[in-house]
Amino acid sequence: MFDPAVLAQILWTGLATSSYMVLFTIAFSLVLKVMKLWNFAQAGMMAIAFYAMYAAVNRFAWPTAAAVVFGLAVTLAATLAFEIWGLRTLRARRSSSLLFFIFTLVCSEFAAYVLTLVFGTEPVTLFPEILSPVRVIGQIAVSDWDLLGVGVTLALGIALALYLRFSRDGQFVLAVSDNAELAELYGIDAKRVYLVAFSIATVFVCAGMYLYGSRTAVIPTAPLQLMLFAVIATLLGGMGSVLGGALAAVGLSLLQSYSVLFIPSQWQGLILYVFLFVTILFFPGGVRRGFKAA
Amino acid sequence: MSFKRRDVLKAAAAGALAAGLPLPLRAQGAGNLRFGLAMPLTGSQSAYGKDQVTGAQWAVEDINAKGGVQGRKLEMIVLDTQADPQVGINAVNRLISVEKVPVFITAWSAVVKAVAPIANREKVLELSVGASSPDVATLGDYVYTTFPLADVDVTAVARYAYQKLGKKTAAVLYINNDTGVDAAKVYREAFEKAGGKVTVYEAYDPKATDYSGMLLKLRASNAEMVHIHGLITDIPQVIAQMRQLGLKQRVSTYSAGYNPIIVKQLGAAAEGLIVTSLAPGANDRPQVKAYIERWRSKEGRVPNGLPYTQYLYDAPVMVAQMYDWLLKQKLAVNGENMRKALLGVKRFELPMTGVTEVDATHRVKKPVYLLTVEKGNFVPLATVS
């Protein structure tokens, strides 16, 4: 088992599998960073994104590209409606952060119930076939899905970093995330920035659900479980650090993958909960900050 | 504006139907002979559950169309379990306390086990039709299975791998729940008893989506045969990831794998997959041929998990034969007498699965039909008595 080829295969497959988790984590931590919102409604958005693409592919027989655009459009519409008619109302009322949290959770459950009524509860994959072509590079099996996952995640991650660093709108996003009230004093429209942040998160959510749904069967309530991973990664990476969250997602995925060398496979899922437990108790501000403080 | 009670009830029923909620299916009339059916109508296993309920409904319709049981109609009350033990307990409590049924049918190992204490305590007969965990035989006096347990078909497939396919080493990969744990143990014991060696014995989390670590252990072991004991939601994923890692071993699974969804999702990677069926096929029995035609004409397809639906069709036939025995003996309709009827009839002639004999060990024995995927279709491989 400790053969270099095996270790390299676990590394590659772990990286590929972490792709959608990284995308979900970036979406979650970006919204948290900019809006200070624990957005559990993201699970609802993930479900909407998947089922919109699923309907386009399987019910309307649209080509993949059109299905992705459709999924993006539907999810964006739902996300912006959630911000404009939901969150803005709560902000206007100066609602407590607990109410914001409950509202996002309720929206998520609402989306899952509606999708259950429309699409049923049978597990479905985005495409009828889940197998993707494989090539062996060195001694490592590399599938088209792996390459797509790693490629899309890297491309979107770099694009986001460049956008935040070099574009005017990106600078506004960073300014609002640092101090929304001060940013508004300098003439930055915080409401617009929130819409931008949600739009970016939607792109990451759609990409993640495309990758996940093309390999694994989905039911309307499945995204909530995936969200838990994003929450743990965000906590580990340090709340407010999008890059930290993304790296934590990669680290957690690799840790789960390599854990089979030491523990039986059925215990892999437990690792996440152990990390959640330890992080909340000992590193509430994230591992990096925790060590700095120490 | 005032509402009559009947209008309100009608509106509520219409609302429930619109929302897709299950309602008890009743053939109205006094003196009906009632039984319960608790199956997953929603949730991840509903694709199977709904088709099984359809099979049972057709059986009730057919029995009643022929005059019922001594002129009395059979009445089936259907409730949803979501294949979830807690939901199953709620459903069975309602069947016993509210609907007052003397016998109920249910499936899925976790549900069958969870509701068994209620059946034993209330002395109501529980018929497990489809649960395969070997534990089902030991759940108490009032719990019987009409479906051969995992030790029957899993033992057959393990022996076949060693004796007929000549595989000397095997890997057993199984889902870490009631369905997988017990059956995996049975496979290991049967394969090793036949003379083979199990080199990998790994469970996976029911929520897992990445199986590569476990599969790399398999690659390192060089096992000649792989047996996967999971659910329809994860078996195709495990096989897909196996093939993507370049693992070419022949794969076997059990009756859950006898499903066109697997072939559809895996395409060419499904070739050579061995599955089991505990019910005869269309070529073995003319009634089955007619049953499949009925599915095609009424639903436009073959049912998910065809053999399971055959057993579910047969279950109300068994209940009807038990009621017939009870009425002839002039015994009161209750759970205790229903159990006496089951053991009294003992040998049931059933249209879809043939003769079923219930014995004191709470087990039934049936031939195992092995099938394999060839050119995208399930074809017969062997019949193991």
Side-chain angles (χ1 to χ4, degrees), chain A residues 1 6 9-10 13 17 20 117 121-123 125 128-132 134 139 141 143 212 215-217 225 257 260 263-266 268-269, chain B residues 19 42-44 46-47 50 176 202-205 207 209-210 212-214 216-217 219-220 233 236-237 240-241 244-245 264-267 269:
Chain A
M1 276 304 287
V6 170
Q9 182 70 62
I10 292 177
T13 315
T17 307
Y20 50 81
L117 285 174
T121 51
E122 290 171 27
T125 47
E129 205 170 312
I130 57 173
L131 217 66
S132 72
V134 179
Q139 286 179 291
S143 72
Y212 183 78
R215 175 166 125 141
T216 308
Q225 180 68 27
S257 300
V260 294
I263 58 171
S265 308
Q266 75 260 36
Q268 275 182 306
Chain B
T42 58
S44 64
S46 61
K50 283 193 277 197
N176 191 30
E202 278 285 315
Y204 55 85
D205 191 284
K207 287 174 187 159
T209 55
D210 176 27
S212 48
M214 172 180 82
L216 287 168
K217 282 187 185 176
R219 190 160 81 177
T233 39
Q237 288 178 53
Q241 290 183 28
Q244 286 178 338
L245 285 173
K264 204 173 163 188
Q265 289 190 340
L266 290 173

